[in-house]
Amino acid sequence: MEPAGNLLFLLEPVSLALMITAIFVTCFSAFRSLNYAKNKGRSLKLPVATFTIDRSHAVLLPISSSCVLLIMFYLFTSFSALVTAIVTFTAMYSLYFCLSPYVTYMNSQFGLADPIVSRCCPKSFTRTRGMLVLFSVATVLAWLVSGHWILNNLLVIAICVSYVCHVRLPNIKICTLLLVCLFLYDIFWVYYSENFFGANVMVSVATQQASNPVHTLATSLRLPGQKMITKQLDMPVKLMFPRNLFGGFASKTGSKYMMLGLGDMAMPSMLLAVVLYYDNRKSRELAILTDSSAKRGCKLCKYIWFAVTGYAVGLVATFVTGLLTHHPQPALLFLVPSTLGPVIIVSLIRKEFTELWNGPPPSISQKLERLLELRRHIRVVGGAREVGARGGAREVGANEIRPPEMGPLEMEPLIMGPPEMGSLEMVSPEMGHGDAGPSEMGTPEMKV
C-alpha cells in the first residue's frame, strides 16, 4: 500500500503546479519561436541573429555540458561570483526579449506615443524600450536581494523562451541526434556519476547555492538593511516550487522544494518548435481547401499536439518513478521517448517521415534574402569597378567583395514586384514574364 499511497503526492498542489507550469513553458516557447521566425521572415535585418544547430553541435553539446558540470561540481565556490554575473545579465536580456513584443503591441493598440530617446544604438532607443530595460533590471535586482522562488521561476521562463527562439533545429534528424545524446548524458550524470566521482554530480550542481554578491557588497560597505538581503542564491536554471505550497500534504518531507531543470523544458521545446514549423507550413499549403471539415480535421491532427501530449505523459512518468524509488530521476529518460516517439510514429503512418526527417526545402523568403544579398554585392563591386575605370582599368582584387556563388535552387525565377518598389526581377529573354517552368527558360537575365 505504501507505493500506491505515494502516488497520491501527484495530486498535491505543488506537483500539479510544477507540471502545469512546465507544459505551459514548453508550449509558449515553441509558439514564440514560430512568431519570432515569422518576424525574421518579414524583416531581413534583426538585431539578434539566430543560431542553427548542426550534427557537430548536437554531438559536442553534451560533451561541453559535461565539462561545465564537472567545473561547477569541483570549482563552483571559486567561480560562483562569475557564474552569478553571467546569469544576471542573461536573465536581464531574456526578460527584456520576452516582454518587448507585448509592450509594443499594447502601445499600438492604445495608440500611446513612444518618442525616440536616443539614436546611439543600431535600433532607435525609445521611451518604451527604456522603461522595459529599467523593469528588467529592477526585476533581476529584486531576485538578487530576495532570492524569492517566484522571481526565480520568472527568470527561468524568460531564459527558456529566449534560448528556444535564438537556437534552432533544422529538422527531426538533427533533433533526434541531439535528444539521444542528451538522453545518454542525463542518464549517466544522474545514475552513474556517483560511481566515478563519489557523489551524484547532477543533483549536487542543481541544488547548490551561490554566495550573493549583493549581500557581500552590502556587508563590506556596512549598508543599512543588509540583514534583509539573502546570503545564498539558487541560480535560475530550474523551476522551483515549495512543497508546502497551498498547504500540500507533502510539506513534511525532507526536501524543501520540488524542482525541474531548465534543460528538461528547453530541449523538448526545441522539438516542439520543429514540428510547429512543419505544421505551420503544411497549414499554408492546405489553405486552398474549401471543405471546412477537412480544415478542422487538419487542425486537430497537427504534430504539435502529439508532442505536447507526449511531454505531459513523460512528466507524469518522471514524477511517478521518483515517488516510487525515492530517488531523483533524469527527466529526459522519459521525456525524449514520450515526445520524439509519437512524432516519428505518426509521421511514418502518414508517410511524411522523409520530409519531416530531412526538413523543408528552401522557402521563398530564404531565396529572396539570398538574392537581395547578391544585389548588394553587385552594387558594391559595380562601384569598385567604376572607381577603377576612372583611375585606369584594373581587376577586382582578392580582398574585395565578390558576388556569392548561387546554386541552381537559388537561381529559380522569382517575380517579386515592380522594379520601382525596390524588388528584384529575374526574367528570361525567351519567355518574358510568363509562367513557364525552368525547362522552358533560356539563359536568365537579371535586372537590378
Side-chain angles (χ1 to χ4, degrees):
M1 292 297 294
E2 183 180 354
N6 288 336
L7 296 181
L8 294 176
F9 289 125
L10 288 174
L11 303 178
E12 67 173 338
V14 61
S15 300
L16 295 176
L18 184 56
M19 287 188 288
I20 293 173
T21 303
I23 294 171
F24 166 78
V25 172
T26 54
C27 294
F28 179 75
S29 301
F31 280 94
R32 178 63 190 278
S33 178
L34 177 63
N35 292 333
Y36 187 68
K38 289 181 178 179
N39 292 333
K40 186 174 184 293
R42 297 190 191 103
S43 176
L44 298 179
K45 291 183 179 181
L46 284 180
V48 180
T50 56
F51 176 78
T52 302
I53 293 180
D54 58 19
R55 282 180 291 185
S56 59
H57 299 139
V59 174
L60 290 176
L61 181 60
I63 298 175
S64 59
S65 299
S66 299
C67 296
V68 172
L69 202 63
L70 286 176
I71 292 174
M72 296 288 287
F73 180 67
Y74 287 110
L75 304 173
F76 181 76
T77 304
S78 304
F79 291 97
S80 61
L82 177 61
V83 172
T84 304
I86 294 174
V87 170
T88 297
F89 285 105
T90 303
M92 286 180 185
Y93 168 75
S94 300
L95 190 59
Y96 172 85
F97 173 81
C98 290
L99 297 179
S100 180
Y102 303 104
V103 173
T104 304
Y105 175 77
M106 294 296 293
N107 280 345
S108 62
Q109 287 295 310
F110 292 99
L112 301 178
D114 191 16
I116 296 176
V117 177
S118 173
R119 297 181 182 274
C120 61
C121 304
K123 199 168 184 178
S124 300
F125 195 75
T126 63
R127 183 178 63 185
T128 300
R129 294 182 181 274
M131 296 176 62
L132 189 55
V133 168
L134 292 177
F135 174 80
S136 302
V137 172
T139 303
V140 175
L141 288 178
W143 165 72
L144 286 172
V145 171
S146 65
H148 201 277
W149 63 271
I150 293 180
L151 295 175
N152 173 86
N153 291 349
L154 178 63
L155 298 181
V156 168
I157 294 172
I159 293 173
C160 180
V161 173
S162 178
Y163 179 83
V164 176
C165 288
H166 292 141
V167 180
R168 304 282 180 83
L169 291 169
N171 49 47
I172 293 295
K173 177 171 61 177
I174 303 299
C175 185
T176 301
L177 178 61
L178 175 63
L179 291 179
V180 169
C181 291
L182 291 174
F183 173 85
L184 300 175
Y185 157 88
D186 216 17
I187 292 175
F188 172 79
W189 289 110
V190 174
Y191 285 154
Y192 301 106
S193 60
E194 190 170 357
N195 299 332
F196 295 91
F197 304 100
N200 192 318
V201 176
M202 181 72 77
V203 175
S204 299
V205 173
T207 56
Q208 63 188 354
Q209 293 181 321
S211 58
N212 191 350
V214 177
H215 182 272
T216 305
L217 180 63
T219 303
S220 62
L221 298 178
R222 297 181 180 179
L223 298 177
Q226 55 181 294
K227 294 182 178 180
M228 301 176 60
I229 304 175
T230 181
K231 295 182 181 180
Q232 301 290 325
L233 279 174
D234 287 294
M235 293 292 99
V237 293
K238 55 187 176 294
L239 281 179
M240 300 171 54
F241 283 89
R243 289 188 176 273
N244 59 355
L245 183 67
F246 302 120
F249 51 80
S251 58
K252 295 182 180 180
T253 56
S255 180
K256 188 177 179 181
Y257 291 96
M258 289 190 69
M259 304 176 185
L260 184 68
L262 175 61
D264 300 327
M265 297 182 295
M267 296 302 114
S269 294
M270 298 178 72
L271 169 62
L272 266 63
V274 172
V275 298
L276 188 61
Y277 296 154
Y278 182 83
D279 289 335
N280 183 69
R281 187 169 62 87
K282 279 295 182 181
S283 297
R284 292 199 305 267
E285 293 176 357
L286 296 175
I288 58 174
L289 291 176
T290 56
D291 187 1
S292 59
S293 62
K295 289 184 178 180
R296 186 163 52 250
C298 293
K299 291 181 180 179
L300 293 176
C301 296
K302 290 184 176 180
Y303 286 99
I304 183 67
W305 304 124
F306 293 101
V308 171
T309 303
Y311 183 76
V313 172
L315 277 181
V316 173
T318 304
F319 280 85
V320 168
T321 307
L323 290 172
L324 295 178
T325 60
H326 301 285
H327 189 278
Q329 298 299 312
L332 293 180
L333 171 64
F334 305 94
L335 295 177
V336 170
S338 65
T339 54
L340 192 60
V343 172
I344 293 179
I345 292 174
V346 173
S347 65
L348 289 172
I349 295 175
R350 295 180 178 178
K351 298 181 180 180
E352 297 174 343
F353 175 76
T354 302
E355 184 179 4
L356 195 61
W357 182 258
N358 296 319
S363 63
I364 296 297
S365 62
Q366 291 172 333
K367 295 177 183 179
L368 173 61
E369 183 175 359
R370 186 66 172 165
L371 289 171
L372 291 178
E373 181 184 357
L374 174 63
R375 182 177 69 174
R376 289 192 294 268
H377 282 287
I378 289 176
R379 286 179 174 176
V380 171
V381 174
R385 287 175 177 171
E386 182 180 353
V387 172
R390 292 176 182 174
R394 65 181 180 88
E395 296 291 334
V396 178
N399 295 327
E400 297 185 16
I401 301 176
R402 300 174 180 271
E405 297 182 0
M406 301 181 65
L409 289 176
E410 296 168 330
M411 293 299 295
E412 291 182 3
L414 295 175
I415 301 176
M416 308 309 301
E420 60 270 13
M421 295 179 63
S423 59
L424 182 123
E425 291 186 39
M426 295 192 70
V427 298
S428 169
E430 298 180 8
M431 61 179 286
H433 287 67
D435 296 326
S439 60
E440 302 175 15
M441 293 182 59
T443 303
E445 175 185 355
M446 183 170 63
K447 296 182 180 181
V448 180

